[in-house]
Amino acid sequence: MAQTTPNHTQTVSGWAAQDTSGNISPYTFKRRENGDTDVTIDILYCGVCHTDLHQAKNDWGITMYPIVPGHEITGIIRKVGKKVEGFKVGDRAGIGCLAASCLDCEFCQTSQENYCDKLQFTYNGVFWDGSITYGGYSDMIVSDYRYVVHVPESLPMDAAAPLLCAGITVFTPLKDHNLIESPRKKIGVVGLGGLGHVAVKFGKAFGHHVTVISTSPSKEKEARERLGADDFIVSTNPTHMQAGRRTLDFILNTVSAEHSLGPILELLKVNGTMVIVGAPGNSLELPAFPLIFGKRTVKGGIIGGMKETQEMMDLCGKHNITCDIEVVKPVNINKAFQRLAANDVKYRFVIDIAGSGSSL
């Protein structure tokens, strides 16, 4: 493992954290030359995921400094390798969380690269050549084309960027449970943040009755009027929780804070399923009785494979689904991190890498 190899000859301007302070500052580094199966992308925008904040501060104990975060990347392809299929110079392209996988295991062969044992991420990973991966807080990136998707022409590049992490994270459980084209179901979304607001949009676009479950009564107006939610349950209100008991077919839990799953499970019908896509730092409380007496299932999931990600992007283009964003300049990344830590954003920060639009 090394920061670079002799093939890393392209000088790149970016922004990195150098230590556990998590402070982001300008950083110049090298990327590899464009290989036979690579595309080179000039980055326009990069979303700010909560993972970026955790990794910058080494909250999970796995950060390799210096770290260039960013796995919600949109831009324009300016170079393609001779073995690249399906992409050409000038294409609108996106890169999410995946940089490499083994390509040979059962998961890679069935378009579930996100569960490959040898999966490596867009940043803070180790690429096939042994180099450390650097993410989208930079002006360009080189990626193997098999981990790149097309961004539909109908989608704005800034508001499409967070779909590559937040979007696919909530889309895949809906697809796995046949909720894209199924008859109308009653689904719940726990948490109304970067993940939750996209989940509500998907649920409504796919024709379902959507209930938002939140600890914050102040979010009800936003959920109903701005996002189109049908119902709103305040999870700290016993009356609300009792009224919602056994009413939902499916729950998508997007909360990354520590909380008990028991009360939320009681909202599911018999045979109902809850999928957890938030990542709390500590263990979740999972009492047995709501599972046993409701024949309920609790599952987890992480992002999606490349085929699913392209399908998601295409459906977003069809239904005009984007993330609600606040665009910031690179100089204000640290301010965005501070506000993100305080949950002061509706609902996703996006960095204007190329200075191509209006930003704060």
Side-chain angles (χ1 to χ4, degrees):
M1 180 179 66
Q3 286 186 324
T4 61
T5 72
N7 192 41
H8 285 64
T9 60
Q10 301 193 81
T11 301
V12 181
S13 296
W15 296 267
Q18 301 284 347
D19 54 46
T20 57
S21 70
N23 185 67
I24 300 293
S25 59
Y27 178 61
T28 301
F29 61 99
K30 300 285 188 178
R31 291 204 188 274
R32 70 181 184 272
E33 286 294 321
N34 197 89
D36 288 349
T37 61
D38 288 335
V39 296
T40 297
I41 298 173
D42 289 323
I43 298 175
L44 298 179
Y45 296 98
C46 185
V48 178
C49 178
H50 218 113
T51 296
D52 300 349
L53 181 57
H54 287 304
Q55 293 274 36
K57 292 178 174 291
N58 196 26
D59 287 342
W60 298 333
I62 58 173
T63 300
M64 297 177 283
Y65 292 108
I67 182 171
V68 178
H71 57 208
E72 299 177 345
I73 303 164
T74 56
I76 305 297
I77 294 178
R78 68 166 151 96
K79 190 171 185 179
V80 297
K82 63 183 180 181
K83 295 183 180 179
V84 169
E85 300 176 2
F87 293 95
K88 65 182 185 302
V89 172
D91 279 354
R92 292 155 48 99
I95 296 173
C97 301
L98 308 184
S101 61
C102 78
L103 300 175
D104 294 322
C105 70
E106 61 176 306
F107 301 108
C108 289
Q109 292 296 311
T110 56
S111 300
Q112 299 180 85
E113 302 93 338
N114 48 313
Y115 294 111
C116 174
D117 273 344
K118 297 181 180 179
L119 170 68
Q120 294 295 331
F121 292 113
T122 299
Y123 70 88
N124 203 50
V126 180
F127 194 62
W128 292 320
D129 62 5
S131 64
I132 295 172
T133 57
Y134 293 126
Y137 291 18
S138 57
D139 58 13
M140 59 85 81
I141 192 168
V142 180
S143 175
D144 187 283
Y145 80 96
R146 287 164 288 196
Y147 304 96
V148 179
V149 296
H150 291 278
V151 178
E153 291 288 339
S154 61
L155 296 180
M157 294 289 266
D158 53 0
L163 294 173
L164 294 157
C165 175
I168 189 61
T169 294
V170 298
F171 173 82
T172 301
L174 296 175
K175 181 182 178 183
D176 287 346
H177 292 83
N178 302 312
L179 292 169
I180 296 178
E181 297 180 346
S182 71
R184 184 177 173 88
K185 299 285 187 180
K186 288 192 172 184
I187 68 174
V189 176
V190 186
L192 194 62
L195 298 180
H197 90 284
V198 186
V200 173
K201 291 186 178 187
F202 278 140
K204 293 305 298 178
F206 301 152
H208 300 299
H209 181 284
V210 179
T211 297
V212 171
I213 303 153
S214 174
T215 59
S216 304
S218 60
K219 292 186 176 181
E220 180 170 5
K221 182 177 180 181
E222 182 89 3
R224 291 183 183 272
E225 296 180 7
R226 183 172 177 174
L227 299 174
D230 300 284
D231 281 315
F232 190 92
I233 293 176
V234 179
S235 57
T236 54
N237 186 316
T239 302
H240 282 202
M241 295 296 284
Q242 180 60 33
R245 188 173 181 272
R246 290 195 173 191
T247 60
L248 303 177
D249 298 290
F250 176 86
I251 292 176
L252 189 60
N253 190 335
T254 71
V255 173
S256 57
E258 186 176 350
H259 61 290
S260 175
L261 300 180
I264 300 170
L265 282 170
E266 295 286 8
L267 301 175
L268 284 171
K269 297 176 181 178
V270 173
N271 281 318
T273 297
M274 180 195 296
V275 177
I276 297 170
V277 293
N282 297 315
S283 299
L284 293 170
E285 181 184 339
L286 179 59
F289 281 5
L291 290 175
I292 295 169
F293 285 96
K295 201 179 180 182
R296 299 177 178 109
T297 302
V298 177
K299 301 171 64 175
I302 179 174
I303 52 173
M306 295 312 301
K307 183 178 179 181
E308 286 175 328
T309 304
Q310 187 64 68
E311 178 185 357
M312 181 268 304
M313 294 297 287
D314 292 342
L315 281 171
C316 286
K318 176 181 177 181
H319 293 286
N320 194 31
I321 296 172
T322 58
C323 296
D324 291 4
I325 63 169
E326 183 175 332
V327 180
V328 298
K329 297 177 181 177
V331 70
N332 290 323
I333 293 173
N334 290 311
K335 291 181 181 178
F337 271 19
Q338 292 168 6
R339 288 180 54 195
L340 178 61
N343 295 317
D344 179 25
V345 58
K346 290 185 178 178
Y347 285 95
R348 207 73 161 183
F349 286 114
V350 172
I351 306 166
D352 183 0
I353 298 291
S356 52
S358 60
S359 54
L360 299 176

